[in-house]
Amino acid sequence: MKGAWPEADTRIDTAEYLAAGTQAPAGPPGVSAPAVTLPAHCEIVGSMRHRKGVDGQNYALRFHVRLPEQWNGRLLFEGGGGLDGNLGSALGMIGFTKPPAISEGFAVVSQDSGHDARANNDPAHGGDAAFGFDPQARADYGGASIKPVALAAKALAERFYGNGPRYSYFVGCSKGGQEGMMAAQRYPTLFDGIVSGAPGFSLPRAALAEAWDTQQFAAVVRAKGEQVTPATLTRSFSGADLDLVRGAVLASCDADDGLRDGIVGAFRQCTSAKVLPELKRLTCGGAKQSGCLIPAQVEALERIHDGPRNSRGEPLYAGFPWDGGWSGRDWRGWKIGAADGSMPSLNVAMGSIALAAVFSTPPTAPQDRLAYDLGFDFDRDAPKIYATGGAFRRSAWQDIGARSADLSAFRRRGGRMIVYQGASDPVFSVTDTLNWWDEVNARENGNAAQVVRVFPVAGMNHCGGGPSTDQFDAFTALLGWVEHGQAPDRIVAASAPGSPWPGRTRPLCPYPSIARPKSPDADPENAESFKCVRS
């Protein structure tokens, strides 16, 4: 590779040939996941842009590439997650039930987004969020790392195989979905096709909603006469309470898609005017008891649905739609923590430190994350996500926000994008995503579907889970669109074994269409009984 790197300081740190049959874990470091069997390939770890940050820490941009012996001529960039900081698997996890992309002949690249979650971990600066104290590290995390890594991987493929990739793809969910959006908007020539799941393209604003939601659940705790702690926050809603909420939403809106089946397919039509009377019907007449909700619980849900606002009533982020997945384990885990107390609220554990150290200027590192959320002032503190100052000449929103409706350059190069998201995503609002698509559609004079299609998944939580049909293959649909011009008018999805309806299949429809039964006696378990109809 000497002289062939796009950036001269790039180097290979390790390179190893792995014979066919090698086992590799499918999940990120520290996450238990079944191993996958790999084909013969060359595994490479490289790095570039070695530097010392303004915070005194040593940084580098590291990347991970797998080059299979039997190459199909395609490159896949695998997106990251959370606060990033690890190399990723470079396996190409492209579907809920599909083998990794490397097994299908793809060259795959992943990256750490410009910081190391272990080496750059400083407890005094928020642990693995400490990179937020360095402007360049924040920008690299936001998306500036995507282009140099993609170009390095393409250069490696060209030298290894004798020619570059015929097609280049990006796949990611959550923070990875944000990276896919960033690529389409700021680096539109890099990829032919992008799958962006649960896109965190409004990450700093979504972090405001995390603090807002925590304050609403804390109000429930206080209404019960308890002190707000991580444990009492978890108990603000019992499992039975959330089942009541789900039941109220279904009673109010389940039939709006033409079939009462436990799925709120027309969730955009599920308004507070429909749901709140049902929730208030379930309100306790006196003290809290099983089978009813106290008024503070109903008020908290209403405020979460409406989304964060400042004292002038101005919205700071989109609200969360009423949907049947508000009782899902993942929804609960993000909002208030696991029911058994084994995991605290992710909104607090991850969201608060990200908001303070990465999404605000100047960055701070509160030692008590729950206290930080409870004391967050939406007039005083929310504007910090747009602020600059000191070494930070760009705001967190400029570095990390990827919500531009301008996809014209991506369209001109022939790019195609599929976006999917759960209607009960607890951390990134599907309402924000659909509003964005409406803005793209207006800019494209009603032709946004020629470039990007959004597939909402009723009941699904963050990237999966919830009472939903969350098993589907968006990547194969993208390949057909990019390489054969077959724009996806539906994607068939199935329910997981642990869902309320194991094996049920349904079409996921591109917004603004929804799945409706073809006839009054349609089989609710079979996707062929439904058609996508503009809502």
Side-chain angles (χ1 to χ4, degrees):
M1 288 300 297
K2 186 176 181 180
W5 294 112
E7 296 199 16
D9 76 328
T10 308
R11 69 190 191 201
I12 291 177
D13 298 318
T14 64
E16 183 179 6
Y17 174 79
L18 299 177
T22 300
Q23 299 282 307
V31 176
S32 177
V36 295
T37 302
L38 304 179
H41 69 283
C42 183
E43 181 183 27
I44 296 167
V45 174
S47 58
M48 65 179 85
R49 299 188 178 184
H50 297 260
R51 62 182 182 84
K52 186 174 288 292
V54 300
D55 57 352
Q57 295 202 73
N58 293 316
Y59 289 97
L61 176 51
R62 300 182 304 147
F63 56 92
H64 186 187
V65 180
R66 296 184 191 267
L67 302 170
E69 278 191 352
Q70 301 300 316
W71 188 40
N72 64 13
R74 301 177 178 95
L75 173 71
L76 176 70
F77 196 126
E78 180 182 81
L83 292 173
D84 282 345
N86 69 77
L87 276 172
S89 71
L91 297 173
M93 306 310 291
I94 52 178
F96 293 92
T97 59
K98 289 179 64 64
I102 189 173
S103 299
E104 299 186 358
F106 285 79
V108 185
V109 58
S110 57
Q111 55 136 354
D112 69 359
S113 79
H115 68 276
D116 187 320
R118 292 170 296 182
N120 298 127
N121 193 312
D122 181 357
H125 281 171
D128 58 359
F131 70 91
F133 284 74
D134 180 74
Q136 186 58 52
R138 185 171 80 177
D140 286 340
Y141 167 80
S145 60
I146 297 170
K147 182 176 180 179
V149 168
L151 294 180
K154 290 182 180 185
L156 263 174
E158 184 167 3
R159 180 57 62 99
F160 190 80
Y161 298 113
N163 53 274
R166 291 182 293 113
Y167 295 101
S168 296
Y169 294 95
F170 185 100
V171 174
C173 193
S174 190
K175 177 60 173 67
Q178 177 265 355
E179 292 164 359
M181 288 285 191
M182 184 69 75
Q185 294 166 22
R186 299 195 191 179
Y187 313 113
T189 63
L190 286 179
F191 302 107
D192 301 286
I194 295 170
V195 173
S196 178
F201 61 174
S202 298
L203 259 170
R205 292 177 182 169
L208 298 179
E210 289 181 282
W212 174 268
D213 290 356
T214 298
Q215 291 187 11
Q216 310 319 312
F217 289 114
V220 175
V221 174
R222 295 191 187 101
K224 292 180 176 182
E226 299 177 323
Q227 183 179 356
V228 181
T229 68
T232 58
L233 196 71
T234 296
R235 298 196 299 268
S236 59
F237 279 77
S238 68
D241 291 339
L242 291 179
D243 287 341
L244 287 175
V245 175
R246 170 173 162 77
V249 173
L250 295 179
S252 306
C253 304
D254 187 356
D256 289 349
D257 57 7
L259 186 67
R260 191 172 291 280
D261 57 354
I263 293 178
V264 184
F267 65 89
R268 292 281 272 183
Q269 301 173 27
C270 192
T271 63
S272 290
K274 294 179 179 180
V275 176
L276 287 178
E278 186 65 23
L279 285 174
K280 289 175 180 176
R281 189 184 65 80
L282 296 171
T283 301
C284 304
K288 178 72 174 82
Q289 53 187 303
S290 62
C292 64
L293 304 169
I294 61 173
Q297 289 178 310
V298 175
E299 291 166 10
L301 295 172
E302 183 179 8
R303 288 168 68 83
I304 288 166
H305 166 270
D306 291 343
R309 297 174 182 271
N310 60 25
S311 64
R312 297 180 295 279
E314 298 165 337
L316 304 176
Y317 182 59
F320 293 87
W322 299 110
D323 186 53
W326 280 31
S327 62
R329 182 177 63 180
D330 187 46
W331 190 92
R332 179 194 180 95
W334 276 96
K335 299 291 192 186
I336 57 176
D340 62 4
S342 61
M343 182 187 73
S345 159
L346 288 176
N347 278 0
V348 176
M350 184 189 300
S352 63
I353 194 62
L355 178 56
V358 183
F359 305 148
S360 297
T361 303
T364 59
Q367 297 304 303
D368 187 329
R369 300 183 183 188
L370 179 56
Y372 172 81
D373 276 353
L374 297 180
F376 192 87
D377 186 298
F378 292 90
D379 291 333
R380 179 194 65 214
D381 299 324
K384 293 177 182 177
I385 68 173
Y386 306 107
T388 59
F392 292 87
R393 298 184 178 181
R394 290 170 54 84
S395 71
W397 181 253
Q398 289 174 300
D399 281 338
I400 302 169
R403 205 188 172 284
S404 171
D406 185 0
L407 296 182
S408 57
F410 188 62
R411 170 178 48 77
R412 287 194 298 270
R413 66 96 63 220
R416 300 291 184 265
M417 177 187 285
I418 289 177
V419 178
Y420 67 86
Q421 187 167 8
S424 287
D425 189 321
V427 62
F428 302 137
S429 170
V430 71
T431 299
D432 189 38
T433 303
L434 299 182
N435 289 345
W436 167 81
W437 190 90
D438 287 338
E439 294 165 22
V440 175
N441 198 40
R443 188 181 180 93
E444 293 289 332
N445 299 312
N447 297 309
Q450 296 180 11
V451 183
V452 55
R453 298 193 176 194
V454 180
F455 292 83
V457 187
M460 191 172 85
N461 295 162
H462 188 56
C463 294
S468 64
T469 52
D470 67 346
Q471 311 289 297
F472 52 89
D473 182 5
F475 187 63
T476 297
L478 180 70
L479 293 182
W481 195 6
V482 169
E483 299 182 17
H484 305 291
Q486 299 169 350
D489 291 325
R490 56 193 269 152
I491 298 175
V492 175
S495 294
S499 81
W501 334 276
R504 171 182 284 183
T505 60
R506 283 292 169 84
L508 304 181
C509 300
Y511 173 78
S513 297
I514 64 170
R516 290 190 180 275
K518 293 179 180 177
S519 65
D521 59 348
D523 178 2
E525 309 306 317
N526 191 338
E528 295 308 309
S529 300
F530 296 81
K531 57 184 177 182
C532 291
V533 178
R534 191 177 180 91
S535 59

